[in-house]
Amino acid sequence: MRGTHQFVFALAVGMFAATSAPAKLEFSPGETWLDTSNKTIHAHGGGVLLHSNIYYWYGEDRTPGGSGAVSCYSSTNLYEWKREGVALARFDLPRTDGQRAFVERPKVIYNPRTKKFVLWAHLEQRGYSYARAGIATSDSPTGPFKFLQAIRPVANTNDFAELNPDPADEKVLGSMFRDMNVYVDDDDRAYVFYAGEDNWTMYVARLNDDFTGPKLPAVENKTWAKILVRAHREGPAPFKYHGKYYLITSACTGWKPNAADCAVADNILGPYQSLGNPCVGENADLTYETQSTFVLPAPGSKERFIFIGDEWHPENLPDSRHVWLPLTVQTNGTFKLRWHDHWNLTNGWK
Ligand code: GAL
C-alpha cells in the first residue's frame, strides 16, 4: 500500500516537474511566457537588474485580479523565471484629487552607497496629464518597495511660459514625465531618461547620490539636458557600448507599434545623433509589432545585448506579450535587431 502511495506521489511529482519548466531553454518572442509555476509572466514595460549573479525582472503587474503595481521575477539563466511576488502594491501608490495613481514602465537600480534598491516608474492617472516620476525603495531586490515620492525631476519653468492651455501644469511643476528608464553608468552615477513636454522632447537627468531624486541644484546641460528635441519619441532604452551611449526609442502612437530609432552620443547628456531604425527584415517598420522598453547586456559579454520590447494588446492588456531579441553590433558600430521565432544565448548572434 505504502509502495503504491510512493509510486503515485513520484508520478505526480514527475508530471509536475515535466510541465513546470519551459520545454527548451530558449526565447520564443511573442509567445505566452510562463514562470516556473506555469503562470503567465506579467512584467510589462519592464526592466532587468543583475545583482549578486541573479537577474531580477520587474514590470507592470497586469495579473488579472491581482493587487500588484510592480511584479518581480528572478532567474539565473534568463529563460526560467520564478515569480517573487508583488514588488510594489497598488494600494501603496499615492492618491491625489480622489484618484489612485497607477504605474507604467517600472525599473529598479541598486545603490551601493545606501545598499538600497531604488525603483523609478512613470506614475500616472486617468488622462495621462499627472505625468510624474514615482520613486520607491527597498532593502531587498524582491521588495516590498516603500513608496517615497511623486515628482517632476526638473522643475524648470523657463520654456513653458507661453504654454496655454497647460493641462499638466508644466509652468509650475516643470516638464511632464512619461515613458522612462534609469541607467547606472560605470562611474556609479545614475541617470533617468524620460519623455517630457507631452512626449515632444526626451530629457536625461542625473540622480542624486541616493538615486531617489534629481541631482541638485539642477543645472541644464550640466546635471540634466533635453535630447531628441521635438523629435516626439518615447520608450527609451539606453545602453553603453565601447564608451558611447546608445538610446533606442519608439515613436509616439500609443499602444500601436511603430518604427524604432537608435541614437548615439559621446556624452550621456547628449547631443544624440540618430543612426536610424536598427530593425531589419519583415515588419522592421513596426519593430516586429513591439515597443522598446529595455536593453540588457547579455551574460558574459560586452559585445552582445538583448532588446526587450512589449507587444501590447490594447483590447486585452494582460494578454500583452514579452519580446526578447538579440541586438547585434555591426562592424561600423551600429546595431541591428532581427526577428527570431526561437533563439538562445548561443545561436542568437549569428
Ligand atoms: C504609450 C506608452 C505606454 C502607455 C501607452 C498608453 O505611448 O509607451 O507605456 O503609456 O502609451 O496609451
Side-chain angles (χ1 to χ4, degrees):
M1 217 29 213
R2 207 165 156 234
T4 312
H5 277 142
Q6 272 172 347
F7 174 73
V8 170
F9 178 71
L11 196 69
V13 168
M15 281 166 66
F16 177 74
T19 54
S20 65
K24 282 189 197 154
L25 294 185
E26 63 178 15
F27 302 104
S28 302
E31 289 183 11
T32 299
W33 196 342
L34 302 180
D35 66 16
T36 53
S37 301
N38 264 341
K39 299 221 169 71
T40 302
I41 293 178
H42 286 284
H44 311 280
V48 177
L49 169 73
L50 176 61
H51 183 77
S52 298
N53 297 320
I54 297 176
Y55 289 97
Y56 295 94
W57 185 6
Y58 305 89
E60 298 163 17
D61 192 353
R62 295 186 180 272
T63 306
S67 63
V70 180
S71 56
C72 176
Y73 297 81
S74 66
S75 175
T76 50
N77 63 10
L78 296 178
Y79 307 111
E80 297 166 296
W81 292 92
K82 172 177 177 249
R83 184 165 168 104
E84 297 287 352
V86 169
L88 180 64
R90 282 190 199 158
F91 54 75
D92 280 338
L93 298 174
R95 246 178 190 289
T96 332
D97 303 332
Q99 267 201 60
R100 171 90 68 203
F102 57 89
V103 301
E104 290 186 347
R105 300 182 174 271
K107 311 283 183 294
V108 173
I109 49 179
Y110 176 68
N111 189 313
R113 288 176 289 269
T114 60
K115 301 204 175 351
K116 298 239 182 229
F117 296 84
V118 188
L119 185 155
W120 282 67
H122 169 197
L123 192 71
E124 202 43 277
Q125 291 186 345
R126 267 197 310 277
Y128 283 86
S129 292
Y130 186 65
R132 308 281 210 281
I135 301 148
T137 60
S138 171
D139 293 326
S140 150
T142 56
F145 282 79
K146 193 173 176 316
F147 193 83
L148 198 64
Q149 58 173 348
I151 58 166
R152 296 267 179 90
V154 178
N156 165 43
T157 57
N158 296 346
D159 289 310
F160 306 112
E162 302 302 321
L163 209 59
N164 185 26
D166 183 13
D169 225 0
E170 289 186 292
K171 276 189 228 172
V172 175
L173 299 174
S175 168
M176 295 161 93
F177 180 107
R178 285 197 186 129
D179 283 11
M180 52 72 62
N181 218 315
V182 274
Y183 181 78
V184 183
D185 208 347
D186 305 326
D187 58 5
D188 278 344
R189 289 180 176 183
Y191 297 82
V192 60
F193 288 74
Y194 59 99
E197 301 180 20
D198 207 9
N199 296 349
W200 277 103
T201 292
M202 191 74 66
Y203 280 51
V204 191
R206 191 176 146 196
L207 304 187
N208 62 21
D209 287 349
D210 290 354
F211 298 172
T212 53
K215 167 105 183 128
L216 296 175
V219 182
E220 187 167 5
N221 296 325
K222 259 190 129 174
T223 67
W224 72 277
K226 298 182 183 200
I227 58 169
L228 314 184
V229 176
R230 304 301 286 173
H232 211 215
R233 307 297 300 177
E234 60 179 10
F239 62 103
K240 193 174 185 179
Y241 174 72
H242 282 196
K244 288 190 193 290
Y245 299 87
Y246 291 81
L247 185 64
I248 294 186
T249 57
S250 74
C252 300
T253 53
W255 300 115
K256 294 204 190 81
N258 52 54
D261 178 80
C262 185
V264 65
D266 290 330
N267 187 307
I268 196 161
L269 293 186
Y272 283 78
Q273 206 190 348
S274 169
L275 299 171
N277 185 351
C279 302
V280 288
E282 202 183 331
N283 261 336
D285 55 341
L286 292 178
T287 321
Y288 320 111
E289 315 266 352
T290 76
Q291 187 183 22
S292 45
T293 184
F294 201 77
V295 171
L296 174 69
S301 169
K302 285 199 155 53
E303 312 285 318
R304 293 169 172 178
F305 297 85
I306 301 170
F307 167 91
I308 302 179
D310 296 287
E311 181 190 298
W312 298 114
H313 293 185
E315 67 297 338
N316 179 10
L317 279 172
D319 187 43
S320 299
R321 305 295 168 81
H322 305 291
V323 171
W324 290 38
L325 290 170
L327 183 62
T328 50
V329 67
Q330 309 298 291
T331 42
N332 64 359
T334 63
F335 282 85
K336 283 273 173 285
L337 192 57
R338 280 192 183 81
W339 178 262
H340 294 250
D341 287 335
H342 304 280
W343 66 284
N344 63 40
L345 293 168
T346 309
N347 70 16
W349 319 104
K350 290 170 192 143

PDB file of all heavy atoms in Angstrom, residues 60 104-105 122 128 179 199 234-235 250-255 291 312, ligand 1:
ATOM      1  N   GLU A  60       5.272  46.000 -15.158  1.00  0.00           N
ATOM      2  CA  GLU A  60       3.869  46.279 -14.808  1.00  0.00           C
ATOM      3  C   GLU A  60       3.203  44.941 -14.538  1.00  0.00           C
ATOM      4  O   GLU A  60       3.211  44.047 -15.379  1.00  0.00           O
ATOM      5  CB  GLU A  60       3.163  46.970 -15.984  1.00  0.00           C
ATOM      6  CG  GLU A  60       3.759  48.312 -16.336  1.00  0.00           C
ATOM      7  CD  GLU A  60       3.351  48.793 -17.737  1.00  0.00           C
ATOM      8  OE1 GLU A  60       2.380  48.268 -18.319  1.00  0.00           O
ATOM      9  OE2 GLU A  60       4.026  49.705 -18.252  1.00  0.00           O
ATOM     10  N   GLU A 104       3.533  52.763 -14.754  1.00  0.00           N
ATOM     11  CA  GLU A 104       3.938  52.137 -16.009  1.00  0.00           C
ATOM     12  C   GLU A 104       5.468  52.135 -16.078  1.00  0.00           C
ATOM     13  O   GLU A 104       6.121  52.990 -15.496  1.00  0.00           O
ATOM     14  CB  GLU A 104       3.372  52.912 -17.200  1.00  0.00           C
ATOM     15  CG  GLU A 104       1.860  52.759 -17.330  1.00  0.00           C
ATOM     16  CD  GLU A 104       1.290  53.405 -18.583  1.00  0.00           C
ATOM     17  OE1 GLU A 104       2.005  54.185 -19.244  1.00  0.00           O
ATOM     18  OE2 GLU A 104       0.121  53.128 -18.895  1.00  0.00           O
ATOM     19  N   ARG A 105       6.003  51.152 -16.792  1.00  0.00           N
ATOM     20  CA  ARG A 105       7.429  51.086 -17.116  1.00  0.00           C
ATOM     21  C   ARG A 105       8.371  51.149 -15.908  1.00  0.00           C
ATOM     22  O   ARG A 105       9.366  51.883 -15.927  1.00  0.00           O
ATOM     23  CB  ARG A 105       7.784  52.181 -18.133  1.00  0.00           C
ATOM     24  CG  ARG A 105       7.008  52.014 -19.413  1.00  0.00           C
ATOM     25  CD  ARG A 105       7.339  53.037 -20.464  1.00  0.00           C
ATOM     26  NE  ARG A 105       6.637  52.695 -21.697  1.00  0.00           N
ATOM     27  CZ  ARG A 105       7.131  51.889 -22.650  1.00  0.00           C
ATOM     28  NH1 ARG A 105       8.335  51.414 -22.533  1.00  0.00           N
ATOM     29  NH2 ARG A 105       6.426  51.602 -23.713  1.00  0.00           N
ATOM     30  N   HIS A 122       6.977  55.535 -14.249  1.00  0.00           N
ATOM     31  CA  HIS A 122       6.066  56.584 -14.708  1.00  0.00           C
ATOM     32  C   HIS A 122       4.797  56.433 -13.868  1.00  0.00           C
ATOM     33  O   HIS A 122       4.110  55.416 -13.940  1.00  0.00           O
ATOM     34  CB  HIS A 122       5.796  56.372 -16.198  1.00  0.00           C
ATOM     35  CG  HIS A 122       4.683  57.206 -16.745  1.00  0.00           C
ATOM     36  ND1 HIS A 122       4.074  56.922 -17.944  1.00  0.00           N
ATOM     37  CD2 HIS A 122       4.060  58.309 -16.271  1.00  0.00           C
ATOM     38  CE1 HIS A 122       3.128  57.818 -18.172  1.00  0.00           C
ATOM     39  NE2 HIS A 122       3.093  58.663 -17.175  1.00  0.00           N
ATOM     40  N   TYR A 128      -3.567  60.802 -18.419  1.00  0.00           N
ATOM     41  CA  TYR A 128      -2.120  60.902 -18.674  1.00  0.00           C
ATOM     42  C   TYR A 128      -1.548  62.324 -18.563  1.00  0.00           C
ATOM     43  O   TYR A 128      -0.579  62.653 -19.237  1.00  0.00           O
ATOM     44  CB  TYR A 128      -1.764  60.281 -20.041  1.00  0.00           C
ATOM     45  CG  TYR A 128      -1.740  58.765 -19.992  1.00  0.00           C
ATOM     46  CD1 TYR A 128      -2.902  58.013 -20.170  1.00  0.00           C
ATOM     47  CD2 TYR A 128      -0.557  58.075 -19.731  1.00  0.00           C
ATOM     48  CE1 TYR A 128      -2.887  56.622 -20.104  1.00  0.00           C
ATOM     49  CE2 TYR A 128      -0.536  56.686 -19.666  1.00  0.00           C
ATOM     50  CZ  TYR A 128      -1.696  55.970 -19.854  1.00  0.00           C
ATOM     51  OH  TYR A 128      -1.660  54.603 -19.791  1.00  0.00           O
ATOM     52  N   ASP A 179       7.085  58.003 -20.444  1.00  0.00           N
ATOM     53  CA  ASP A 179       7.903  56.789 -20.645  1.00  0.00           C
ATOM     54  C   ASP A 179       9.339  57.034 -20.168  1.00  0.00           C
ATOM     55  O   ASP A 179       9.941  58.067 -20.505  1.00  0.00           O
ATOM     56  CB  ASP A 179       7.940  56.412 -22.127  1.00  0.00           C
ATOM     57  CG  ASP A 179       6.663  55.743 -22.595  1.00  0.00           C
ATOM     58  OD1 ASP A 179       5.665  55.756 -21.852  1.00  0.00           O
ATOM     59  OD2 ASP A 179       6.660  55.215 -23.721  1.00  0.00           O
ATOM     60  N   ASN A 199       5.608  64.377 -24.459  1.00  0.00           N
ATOM     61  CA  ASN A 199       6.355  63.430 -25.309  1.00  0.00           C
ATOM     62  C   ASN A 199       7.125  64.092 -26.455  1.00  0.00           C
ATOM     63  O   ASN A 199       7.727  63.389 -27.272  1.00  0.00           O
ATOM     64  CB  ASN A 199       5.455  62.348 -25.924  1.00  0.00           C
ATOM     65  CG  ASN A 199       4.838  61.444 -24.878  1.00  0.00           C
ATOM     66  OD1 ASN A 199       5.232  61.489 -23.712  1.00  0.00           O
ATOM     67  ND2 ASN A 199       3.891  60.642 -25.274  1.00  0.00           N
ATOM     68  N   GLU A 234       9.448  58.064 -27.537  1.00  0.00           N
ATOM     69  CA  GLU A 234       9.207  57.516 -26.190  1.00  0.00           C
ATOM     70  C   GLU A 234       9.798  56.116 -26.104  1.00  0.00           C
ATOM     71  O   GLU A 234      10.568  55.715 -26.966  1.00  0.00           O
ATOM     72  CB  GLU A 234       7.715  57.553 -25.856  1.00  0.00           C
ATOM     73  CG  GLU A 234       6.850  56.767 -26.806  1.00  0.00           C
ATOM     74  CD  GLU A 234       5.368  56.812 -26.439  1.00  0.00           C
ATOM     75  OE1 GLU A 234       4.963  57.581 -25.565  1.00  0.00           O
ATOM     76  OE2 GLU A 234       4.610  56.053 -27.071  1.00  0.00           O
ATOM     77  N   GLY A 235       9.469  55.364 -25.049  1.00  0.00           N
ATOM     78  CA  GLY A 235      10.013  54.015 -24.874  1.00  0.00           C
ATOM     79  C   GLY A 235      11.535  54.011 -24.816  1.00  0.00           C
ATOM     80  O   GLY A 235      12.172  53.159 -25.448  1.00  0.00           O
ATOM     81  N   SER A 250      10.983  54.553 -29.390  1.00  0.00           N
ATOM     82  CA  SER A 250       9.890  54.326 -30.335  1.00  0.00           C
ATOM     83  C   SER A 250       9.320  55.681 -30.707  1.00  0.00           C
ATOM     84  O   SER A 250       9.607  56.688 -30.056  1.00  0.00           O
ATOM     85  CB  SER A 250       8.798  53.471 -29.690  1.00  0.00           C
ATOM     86  OG  SER A 250       8.071  54.251 -28.757  1.00  0.00           O
ATOM     87  N   ALA A 251       8.466  55.684 -31.735  1.00  0.00           N
ATOM     88  CA  ALA A 251       7.674  56.890 -31.996  1.00  0.00           C
ATOM     89  C   ALA A 251       6.488  56.876 -31.030  1.00  0.00           C
ATOM     90  O   ALA A 251       6.346  55.952 -30.224  1.00  0.00           O
ATOM     91  CB  ALA A 251       7.214  56.901 -33.453  1.00  0.00           C
ATOM     92  N   CYS A 252       5.655  57.900 -31.097  1.00  0.00           N
ATOM     93  CA  CYS A 252       4.545  58.022 -30.145  1.00  0.00           C
ATOM     94  C   CYS A 252       3.217  57.721 -30.837  1.00  0.00           C
ATOM     95  O   CYS A 252       2.612  58.621 -31.430  1.00  0.00           O
ATOM     96  CB  CYS A 252       4.511  59.423 -29.552  1.00  0.00           C
ATOM     97  SG  CYS A 252       6.014  59.861 -28.683  1.00  0.00           S
ATOM     98  N   THR A 253       2.795  56.461 -30.784  1.00  0.00           N
ATOM     99  CA  THR A 253       1.492  56.099 -31.360  1.00  0.00           C
ATOM    100  C   THR A 253       0.692  55.283 -30.340  1.00  0.00           C
ATOM    101  O   THR A 253       0.007  54.326 -30.696  1.00  0.00           O
ATOM    102  CB  THR A 253       1.661  55.315 -32.683  1.00  0.00           C
ATOM    103  OG1 THR A 253       2.543  54.205 -32.451  1.00  0.00           O
ATOM    104  CG2 THR A 253       2.241  56.174 -33.794  1.00  0.00           C
ATOM    105  N   GLY A 254       0.817  55.634 -29.065  1.00  0.00           N
ATOM    106  CA  GLY A 254       0.062  54.941 -28.017  1.00  0.00           C
ATOM    107  C   GLY A 254       0.465  53.478 -27.942  1.00  0.00           C
ATOM    108  O   GLY A 254       1.643  53.147 -27.963  1.00  0.00           O
ATOM    109  N   TRP A 255      -0.541  52.582 -27.888  1.00  0.00           N
ATOM    110  CA  TRP A 255      -0.254  51.147 -27.781  1.00  0.00           C
ATOM    111  C   TRP A 255       0.110  50.543 -29.139  1.00  0.00           C
ATOM    112  O   TRP A 255       0.477  49.374 -29.218  1.00  0.00           O
ATOM    113  CB  TRP A 255      -1.474  50.401 -27.237  1.00  0.00           C
ATOM    114  CG  TRP A 255      -1.951  50.819 -25.891  1.00  0.00           C
ATOM    115  CD1 TRP A 255      -3.152  51.395 -25.605  1.00  0.00           C
ATOM    116  CD2 TRP A 255      -1.277  50.670 -24.623  1.00  0.00           C
ATOM    117  NE1 TRP A 255      -3.264  51.620 -24.252  1.00  0.00           N
ATOM    118  CE2 TRP A 255      -2.128  51.191 -23.630  1.00  0.00           C
ATOM    119  CE3 TRP A 255      -0.029  50.159 -24.238  1.00  0.00           C
ATOM    120  CZ2 TRP A 255      -1.785  51.215 -22.278  1.00  0.00           C
ATOM    121  CZ3 TRP A 255       0.312  50.180 -22.895  1.00  0.00           C
ATOM    122  CH2 TRP A 255      -0.558  50.696 -21.935  1.00  0.00           C
ATOM    123  N   GLN A 291       7.222  47.520 -28.855  1.00  0.00           N
ATOM    124  CA  GLN A 291       7.724  48.844 -28.467  1.00  0.00           C
ATOM    125  C   GLN A 291       8.857  48.636 -27.465  1.00  0.00           C
ATOM    126  O   GLN A 291       8.728  47.831 -26.527  1.00  0.00           O
ATOM    127  CB  GLN A 291       6.590  49.648 -27.823  1.00  0.00           C
ATOM    128  CG  GLN A 291       6.961  51.079 -27.531  1.00  0.00           C
ATOM    129  CD  GLN A 291       5.863  51.847 -26.839  1.00  0.00           C
ATOM    130  OE1 GLN A 291       4.984  51.258 -26.208  1.00  0.00           O
ATOM    131  NE2 GLN A 291       5.913  53.162 -26.907  1.00  0.00           N
ATOM    132  N   TRP A 312       2.040  45.043 -27.263  1.00  0.00           N
ATOM    133  CA  TRP A 312       0.843  45.432 -26.492  1.00  0.00           C
ATOM    134  C   TRP A 312      -0.416  44.891 -27.164  1.00  0.00           C
ATOM    135  O   TRP A 312      -0.534  44.941 -28.389  1.00  0.00           O
ATOM    136  CB  TRP A 312       0.732  46.955 -26.398  1.00  0.00           C
ATOM    137  CG  TRP A 312       1.860  47.641 -25.706  1.00  0.00           C
ATOM    138  CD1 TRP A 312       2.761  48.504 -26.258  1.00  0.00           C
ATOM    139  CD2 TRP A 312       2.203  47.567 -24.312  1.00  0.00           C
ATOM    140  NE1 TRP A 312       3.638  48.961 -25.296  1.00  0.00           N
ATOM    141  CE2 TRP A 312       3.319  48.398 -24.105  1.00  0.00           C
ATOM    142  CE3 TRP A 312       1.673  46.867 -23.213  1.00  0.00           C
ATOM    143  CZ2 TRP A 312       3.920  48.564 -22.844  1.00  0.00           C
ATOM    144  CZ3 TRP A 312       2.273  47.027 -21.969  1.00  0.00           C
ATOM    145  CH2 TRP A 312       3.371  47.862 -21.797  1.00  0.00           C
TER     146      TRP A 312
HETATM  147  C1  GAL B   1       2.338  54.531 -24.947  1.00  0.00           C
HETATM  148  C2  GAL B   1       3.358  54.288 -23.869  1.00  0.00           C
HETATM  149  C3  GAL B   1       2.835  53.184 -22.957  1.00  0.00           C
HETATM  150  C4  GAL B   1       1.476  53.613 -22.431  1.00  0.00           C
HETATM  151  C5  GAL B   1       0.533  53.899 -23.597  1.00  0.00           C
HETATM  152  C6  GAL B   1      -0.822  54.409 -23.126  1.00  0.00           C
HETATM  153  O1  GAL B   1       2.679  55.608 -25.747  1.00  0.00           O
HETATM  154  O2  GAL B   1       4.579  53.903 -24.409  1.00  0.00           O
HETATM  155  O3  GAL B   1       3.749  52.964 -21.909  1.00  0.00           O
HETATM  156  O4  GAL B   1       1.622  54.785 -21.676  1.00  0.00           O
HETATM  157  O5  GAL B   1       1.098  54.899 -24.434  1.00  0.00           O
HETATM  158  O6  GAL B   1      -1.607  54.778 -24.220  1.00  0.00           O
END
